[in-house]
Amino acid sequence: PKTNDCKVIIKDGEVTLSTHTITGSSEASIKATIRGGEGREMTFNYRYLLDGLLSILTKDIVFHIKNETSPVTFEGVGDKNFLYLVAPLKS
C-alpha cells in the first residue's frame, strides 16, 4: 500500500479508518448512524481527507456517498456554509 492511502470502511454501525505503511499500521473506529451505505469500502489520500475534516467546526459530520468510485461530500451538521468534496483513489 502507498503511504498516503487511508482506507475508510463503513459497516456494522461504525466508520473505520485504517492505514498501513512500511513503518507500521494504524486503525481507528467511531460509532456512526448509517443510512443506506452499509458495507462500503473506499480509499482516500489521507491528506485530502484530513484537510476537509479539520475544516469542519461542528461535532457531528455527514458524509454523502453515492458509490465507492464517486466523489464524496461531507459537511458539519447544521453548518450549511461549508461543503467539502473529495474523490476516492482508484484501486
Side-chain angles (χ1 to χ4, degrees):
K2 297 180 184 174
T3 58
N4 290 336
D5 290 3
C6 177
K7 186 177 286 187
V8 177
I9 303 164
I10 302 168
K11 69 176 184 178
D12 302 328
E14 287 187 337
V15 175
T16 302
L17 304 174
S18 67
T19 61
H20 302 281
T21 67
I22 57 174
T23 59
S25 62
S26 180
E27 184 174 293
S29 296
I30 188 168
K31 293 196 181 299
T33 301
I34 301 168
R35 296 187 187 123
E38 194 81 28
R40 304 224 183 223
E41 188 172 307
M42 297 163 283
T43 302
F44 296 92
N45 179 309
Y46 85 90
R47 291 180 182 148
Y48 299 138
L49 193 62
L50 190 59
D51 280 347
L53 292 173
L54 290 175
S55 298
I56 295 175
L57 302 177
T58 63
K59 180 181 171 188
D60 296 318
I61 298 172
V62 176
F63 281 72
H64 299 276
I65 302 167
K66 182 176 179 182
N67 58 48
E68 287 84 354
T69 58
S70 295
V72 173
T73 61
F74 47 95
E75 61 189 332
V77 172
D79 182 6
K80 299 296 180 186
N81 296 316
F82 182 81
L83 177 71
Y84 192 77
L85 177 116
V86 63
L89 299 172
K90 293 183 180 179
S91 302

